[in-house]
């Protein structure tokens, strides 16, 4: 086993000692001895770059999984205090910084060119292929990308093409708890003050529609246009004022990820992002959006690199190559895509009434410092202040 699913700080060899020097602590000699080429032919010079770059990808995948597992552990608490929300935010920001680097890393690999790649690609007779990256599949599962969302028949059964130890590691990761998509939904569904917010928000939309229909100075022609605009606004916003309609609509839109309560929680947090208690939750939502964006950019950069290197040739592992990879650059592979839709229902802050004292009291429900420090064994984790 590669140790992917081991506890944090996993190590397959002896652990370092406090007195170890730099080389021993980081196991530099072991690390630098892992770039084993298939050929010593000098014309296949670029194989070394290929190996180093992909090993670097895998090291960064390991760090991303390490960070996201810790975020998942926090989200699995029933309630999450502000301090832990800050921890979630910090680690999501770190993951997005890593993904930004990984997108740029393709630029280094592209210096190899199609001729450089061709000099050793034919040696992959055993079918070695990037889709066999166990860590990337575990990463997708932690985020919440389901097997049924995959568009390609080839990848729906990709586990059949993996070694038994790879299959077991992926299954282990699945059994470690809910994915982040599911946990985010549960967290947003607990947003305090949501029912009052929905009533307040609806009154603003109703008022805007009434103003369009009853404008005193509108001409007959203008009034007709404004009434049509009001009807369209009512129809569009009825989607979020009727939980049944929202749920039914989701059935006809495969891949929708948020429940009604979670969507409204995200909308409330977004509309009141400058409210101190919602500043960090809003930043968390934006970083989940960034995560989708950066992963999509990574997929696209990968697709274009493959097109540059092999054109329309099939992949070495039996996939369709470019056409398969191109199919992964879609909403189906964005587990947090519903967060993007929240922007369609944001209204100007000057039209939104201030939070009522009752809502502020519910939102700003603060526990004592003593509560913050309660032992996790007796309280299920740090006591919460908000969500």
């Amino acid at each position: 086993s590669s140790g992917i699913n081991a506890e944090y700080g996993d190590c397959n060899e002896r652990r370092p000692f406090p007195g170890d020097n730099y080389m021993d602590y980081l196991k530099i000699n072991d690390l630098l001895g892992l770039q084993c080429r298939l050929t010593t032919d000098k014309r296949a010079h670029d194989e070394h770059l290929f190996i180093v770059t992909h090993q670097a990808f895998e090291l960064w995948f390991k760090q991303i999984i390490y960070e996201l597992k810790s975020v998942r552990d926090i989200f699995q608490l029933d309630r999450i205090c502000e301090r832990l929300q800050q921890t979630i935010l910090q680690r999501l920001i770190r993951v997005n910084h890593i993904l930004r680097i990984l997108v740029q890393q393709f630029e280094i690999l592209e210096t190899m060119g199609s001729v450089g790649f061709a000099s050793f690609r034919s040696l992959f007779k055993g079918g070695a292929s990037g889709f066999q990256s166990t860590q990337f599949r575990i990463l997708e599962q932690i985020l919440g990308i389901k097997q049924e969302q995959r568009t390609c028949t080839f990848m729906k059964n990709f586990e059949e093409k993996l070694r038994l130890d790879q299959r077991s590691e992926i299954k282990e990761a699945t059994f470690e708890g809910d994915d982040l998509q599911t946990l985010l939904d549960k967290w947003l569904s607990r947003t305090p003050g949501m029912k009052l917010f929905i009533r307040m928000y609806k009154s603003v939309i109703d008022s805007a529609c009434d103003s369009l229909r009853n404008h005193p100075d509108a001409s007959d022609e203008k009034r007709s246009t404004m009434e049509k605009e009001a009807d369209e606004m009512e129809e569009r916003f009825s989607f979020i004022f009727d939980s049944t309609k929202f749920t039914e609509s989701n059935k006809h839109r495969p891949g929708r990820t948020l429940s009604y309560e979670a969507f409204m929680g995200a909308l409330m947090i977004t509309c009141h992002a400058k409210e101190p208690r919602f500043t960090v939750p809003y930043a968390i939502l934006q970083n989940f959006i960034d995560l989708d964006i950066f992963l999509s950019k990574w997929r696209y950069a990968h697709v274009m690199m493959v097109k540059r290197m092999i054109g329309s040739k099939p992949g070495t592992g039996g996939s369709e190559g470019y056409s398969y990879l191109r199919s992964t650059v879609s909403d189906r592979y964005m587990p947090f895509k519903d967060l993007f839709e929240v922007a369609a229902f944001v209204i100007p802050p000057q039209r939104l009434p201030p939070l009522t004292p009752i809502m502020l009291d519910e939102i700003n429900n603060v526990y004592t410092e003593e509560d913050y420090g309660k032992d996790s064994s007796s309280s299920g984790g740090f006591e919460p202040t908000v969500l």
Side-chain angles (χ1 to χ4, degrees), residues 366-383:
V366 180
Y367 287 75
T368 66
E369 191 64 28
E370 181 180 333
D371 289 323
Y372 275 111
K374 284 183 179 177
D375 183 79
S376 59
S377 62
S378 61
S379 63
F382 285 113
E383 280 294 325

Side-chain angles (χ1 to χ4, degrees), residues 184-236:
L184 179 66
D185 190 285
K186 291 178 180 179
W187 180 65
L188 288 172
S189 297
R190 301 196 298 264
T191 304
M194 192 194 308
K195 290 182 180 178
L196 287 171
F197 165 76
I198 294 173
R199 288 204 295 268
M200 182 191 299
Y201 183 88
K202 188 175 187 305
S203 71
V204 173
I205 302 304
D206 290 344
S207 177
C209 290
D210 290 343
S211 296
L212 286 170
R213 291 194 175 100
N214 302 309
H215 198 288
D217 302 321
S219 64
D220 289 344
E221 183 180 352
K222 183 71 173 175
R223 189 182 303 279
S224 175
T225 301
M226 294 172 75
E227 285 181 356
K228 183 179 179 182
E229 187 180 340
D231 290 342
E232 291 173 349
M233 183 183 292
E234 274 188 344
E235 175 61 26
R236 182 161 65 91

Side-chain angles (χ1 to χ4, degrees), residues 12-138:
N12 292 333
E13 307 296 335
R14 77 157 181 86
R15 291 196 174 276
F17 296 111
D20 280 350
N21 64 23
Y22 173 87
M23 298 293 287
D24 293 333
Y25 172 61
L26 297 178
K27 300 185 184 297
I28 298 299
N29 288 333
D30 293 338
L31 185 64
L32 298 182
L34 298 176
Q35 294 73 45
C36 303
R37 296 165 59 198
L38 290 171
T39 176
T40 57
D41 191 332
K42 291 183 178 180
R43 291 170 294 183
H45 175 89
D46 289 341
E47 185 188 3
H48 192 274
L49 173 66
F50 182 86
I51 294 171
V52 168
T53 306
H54 282 80
Q55 287 180 342
F57 274 131
E58 292 293 337
L59 280 173
W60 281 125
F61 288 160
K62 183 171 186 176
Q63 186 65 34
I64 290 172
I65 291 170
Y66 178 74
E67 302 294 348
L68 291 182
K69 278 186 174 183
S70 71
V71 168
R72 183 180 63 184
D73 288 347
I74 297 173
F75 267 123
Q76 288 184 121
L77 298 173
D78 290 335
R79 300 169 77 182
I80 304 168
C81 71
E82 286 183 300
R83 213 180 306 183
L84 290 178
Q85 288 177 27
Q86 288 281 3
T87 299
I88 290 171
L89 176 58
Q90 178 194 32
R91 291 174 186 175
L92 288 177
I93 289 172
R94 180 179 296 160
V95 166
N96 285 325
H97 278 306
I98 294 172
L99 287 171
R100 183 183 287 111
I101 289 172
L102 294 188
V103 172
Q104 296 171 345
Q105 198 162 285
F106 281 111
E107 296 178 11
I108 302 172
L109 199 54
E110 285 173 347
T111 64
M112 179 171 59
S114 58
V115 175
F117 189 34
S119 68
F120 62 89
R121 183 177 185 260
S122 61
L123 299 173
F124 296 138
K125 298 185 185 300
S129 177
F131 80 80
Q132 295 161 346
S133 170
T134 305
Q135 290 198 117
F136 193 75
R137 301 305 153 208
I138 289 174

Side-chain angles (χ1 to χ4, degrees), residues 87 181 310 316 382:
T87 299
Q181 181 190 97
I310 64 171
T316 50
F382 285 113

